[in-house]
């Protein structure tokens, strides 16, 4: 492994979104935010791209966030000045201003300017909402910076918008066809159309936007069934702290969920939405979607499912399933770790379809930058072919590690993957039938757990793969997920089966046999630490 600390996966393009943390000792400074500035590349919500920094370039003592939506800029200001977090965690209205600029007469920028000392207060909005400008948009602004002009209040200049490009259309058409490809049961009478697919700049932007729209439509607390990706939890924490988490997503918690929905009903509220991942990140459990569907119908809730890890190719969540599917296209759909994006798909067979369509007609604005869409469209052309390899490599590694978990002389404690979970029946119930062009599998993420922190560290340090917070790339990536995201909340997350002795793995497109050998060597190092010869 030649990639240096803080650098992106090769070929490490200008717009790469990964960074490498080669050793366990590398984690601590980044967890404690002491060396974030040392990253040469980074996930855009965690680290500003150099081009974004150059566009911001405010005067000393000031900094800014840049959005392409006036709504996002206003929500950022609203977040920063909200009094409910206490005076020490808010800005005064005088501290924050919004200025508007055009570049080339084609790009409208809404710039939220505030004191640099207040960045820790506002940074969560940038990180969690996912609405900030992309590196490609920033690069285009820098190339045309001489055309920058401020739009003053009362200006009659028309507002530039992101026009629907050929790339946008191709992506939406591709997703619609993938969702209708090899459905469970007979071909659906009502099929997803490209007009039912909405594109967003990132997965967090999609989740944040849907959540905000639903809060406006029906201001009641949503339920999150099963644990979810770190940013999803943050969105609910920051923007509706009254949400209810059923973090294990077990059959027993279905009873608790019904009690929660019943209590809402007694208070005169219809449930806003039941959210779930299929399968969950990072423990890969699959909920009983049919039961969630029954509860949603009984209590007037929407059922919203994030299928990012299961994927369009493997699972069909529209048949007797979700009202809405959210997918981070940044992951396996793109597959090259160099562009962000997400989709929200409305199920045309849902009895809530007209209501949801009306919400999106009123609120949705296309701000998925065209050059990002072009990159995403190109990357996703071989989605099925890549997914077949990702599925096969994941299953092969899981089989190897599962044999170690069953060996009393190994430090491998267990492997979390749909095939090793008691919830596998819930997953297989929604697997697409095999077809000539693709055989469905169990996804491209699994988690391996060790008996001790020492064994976990030895495995990580000796695992000759890339390491960092990303999944679905062309190369294998490992991350001590709990250690990285929840180092200050270990006792809390352990209630949901998550421990710092777990390492999340996202296999890439490498040769299967070579990958297994790489993992054998790392497990051997862990075993030797725990039980020296």
């Amino acid at each position: 492994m030649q990639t240096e600390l803080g650098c992106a996966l090769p070929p490490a393009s200008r717009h790469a979104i990964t960074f490498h943390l080669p050793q366990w000792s590398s984690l601590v400074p980044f967890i404690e935010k002491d060396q974030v500035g040392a990253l040469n590349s980074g996930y855009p919500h965690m680290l500003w791209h150099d081009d974004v920094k150059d566009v911001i370039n405010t005067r000393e003592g000031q900094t800014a966030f840049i959005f392409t939506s006036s709504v996002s800029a206003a929500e950022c200001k609203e977040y920063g000045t909200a009094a409910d977090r206490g005076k020490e965690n808010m800005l005064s209205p005088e501290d924050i201003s919004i200025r508007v600029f055009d570049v080339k007469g084609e790009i409208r920028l809404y710039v939220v300017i505030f004191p640099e000392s207040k960045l820790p207060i506002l940074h969560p909005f940038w990180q969690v909402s996912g609405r900030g400008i992309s590196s490609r948009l920033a690069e285009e602004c820098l190339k045309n910076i001489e055309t920058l002009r401020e739009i003053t209040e009362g200006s009659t200049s028309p507002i530039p918008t992101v026009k629907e490009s050929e790339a946008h259309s191709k992506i939406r058409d591709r997703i619609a066809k993938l969702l209708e490809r090899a459905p469970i049961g007979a071909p659906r009478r009502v099929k997803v159309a490209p007009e039912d697919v909405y594109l967003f700049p990132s997965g967090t932007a999609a989740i944040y936007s849907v959540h905000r729209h639903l809060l406006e439509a029906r201001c009641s607390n949503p339920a999150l069934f099963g644990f979810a990706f770190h940013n999803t939890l943050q969105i609910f924490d920051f923007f509706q702290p009254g949400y209810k988490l059923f973090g294990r997503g077990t059959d027993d918690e279905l009873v608790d969920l019904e009690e929660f929905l019943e209590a809402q009903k007694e208070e005169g509220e219809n449930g806003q939405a039941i959210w779930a991942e299929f399968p969950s990140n990072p423990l890969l459990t699959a909920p009983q979607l049919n039961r969630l569907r029954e509860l949603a119908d009984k209590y007037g809730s929407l059922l919203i499912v994030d299928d990012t890890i299961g994927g369009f190719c493997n699972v069909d969540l529209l048949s007797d399933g979700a009202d809405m599917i959210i997918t981070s296209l940044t992951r396996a759909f793109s597959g090259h770790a160099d562009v962000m994006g997400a989709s929200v798909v409305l199920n045309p067979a849902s009895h809530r379809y007209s209501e949801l369509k009306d919400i999106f007609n009123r609120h949705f604005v296309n701000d998925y930058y065209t050059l990002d869409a072009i990159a995403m469209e190109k990357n996703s052309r071989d989605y099925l072919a890549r997914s077949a390899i990702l599925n096969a490599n994941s299953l092969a590694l899981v089989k190897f590690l599962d044999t170690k978990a069953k060996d009393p002389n190994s430090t491998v404690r267990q492997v979390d993957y749909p095939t090793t979970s008691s919830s596998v029946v819930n997953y297989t119930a929604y697997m697409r039938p095999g077809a000539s062009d693709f055989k469905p599998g169990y996804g491209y993420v699994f988690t391996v757990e060790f008996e001790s922190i020492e064994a976990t560290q030895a495995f990580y340090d000796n695992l000759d793969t890339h390491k960092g917070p990303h999944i679905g790339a062309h190369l294998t990536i490992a991350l001590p997920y709990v250690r990285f995201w929840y180092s200050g909340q270990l006792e809390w997350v352990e209630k949901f089966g998550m421990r710092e002795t777990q390492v999340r793995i996202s296999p890439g497109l490498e040769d299967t046999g070579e990958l297994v050998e790489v993992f054998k060597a790392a497990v051997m190092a862990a075993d030797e630490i725990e039980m020296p010869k």
Side-chain angles (χ1 to χ4, degrees), residues 232-460:
T232 301
L233 291 171
Q234 285 188 315
I235 289 170
F236 288 125
D237 282 334
F238 292 167
F239 300 104
Q240 186 69 352
Y243 85 100
K244 185 69 173 178
L245 172 64
F246 302 89
R248 285 187 171 272
T250 61
D251 292 351
D252 288 343
E253 284 194 318
L254 283 169
V255 177
D256 298 333
L257 173 61
E258 183 162 17
E259 290 176 354
F260 168 74
L261 295 171
E262 184 66 35
Q264 282 191 316
K265 181 180 178 181
E266 290 175 359
E267 293 173 4
E269 295 183 359
N270 285 327
Q272 185 221 80
I274 301 169
W275 296 68
E277 292 187 347
F278 195 95
S280 66
N281 184 2
L283 297 184
L284 290 304
T285 58
Q288 282 192 51
L289 278 190
N290 61 331
R291 182 64 181 135
L292 293 181
R293 177 73 270 160
E294 291 172 0
L295 291 175
D297 290 341
K298 180 177 180 179
Y299 291 100
S301 297
L302 293 164
L303 178 56
I304 303 173
V305 183
D306 184 331
D307 74 339
T308 297
I309 293 179
F312 304 131
C313 57
N314 294 316
V315 293
D316 174 13
L317 305 183
L318 294 179
S319 296
D320 190 33
D323 297 299
M324 188 187 305
I325 294 175
I326 298 179
T327 309
S328 174
L329 305 179
T330 308
R331 316 302 182 180
F333 188 77
S334 165
H336 294 280
D338 64 356
V339 65
M340 307 278 284
S343 64
V344 173
V345 178
L346 306 185
N347 185 351
S350 165
H351 69 279
R352 305 287 291 277
Y353 175 75
S354 296
E355 173 190 348
L356 292 172
K357 199 72 174 175
D358 179 63
I359 290 173
F360 273 75
N361 286 341
R362 284 187 284 112
H363 292 288
F364 178 77
V365 175
N366 177 29
D367 58 357
Y368 190 39
Y369 183 51
T370 298
L371 292 182
D372 291 318
I374 289 172
M376 182 66 72
E377 190 281 318
K378 181 180 178 181
N379 285 358
S380 62
R381 291 173 188 173
D382 61 349
Y383 168 66
L384 286 179
R386 284 186 291 100
S387 293
I389 299 172
L390 298 182
N391 283 342
N393 281 347
S394 298
L395 187 59
L397 289 173
V398 166
K399 286 180 177 178
F400 161 68
L401 292 166
D402 198 38
T403 62
K404 290 296 181 181
K406 293 177 172 121
D407 179 356
N409 296 316
S410 175
T411 57
V412 177
R413 181 178 180 182
Q414 70 179 51
V415 186
D416 296 303
Y417 193 60
T419 60
T420 64
S421 171
S422 60
S423 69
V424 65
V425 293
N426 299 334
Y427 184 95
T428 55
Y430 291 88
M431 283 183 73
R432 295 183 183 276
S436 59
D437 60 342
F438 185 79
K439 179 181 178 181
Y442 296 89
Y444 56 92
V445 177
F446 66 86
T447 293
V448 57
E449 182 176 348
F450 292 85
E451 292 288 350
S452 68
I453 195 68
E454 293 78 14
T456 311
Q457 179 177 338
F459 170 80
Y460 184 83

Side-chain angles (χ1 to χ4, degrees), residues 25 36 103 156 193 199 263 267 271 324 349 369 415 421-422 433 465 511 515:
S25 58
V36 173
V103 178
T156 58
L199 300 180
E267 293 173 4
M324 188 187 305
Y369 183 51
V415 186
S421 171
S422 60
T465 69
D511 176 80
L515 265 183

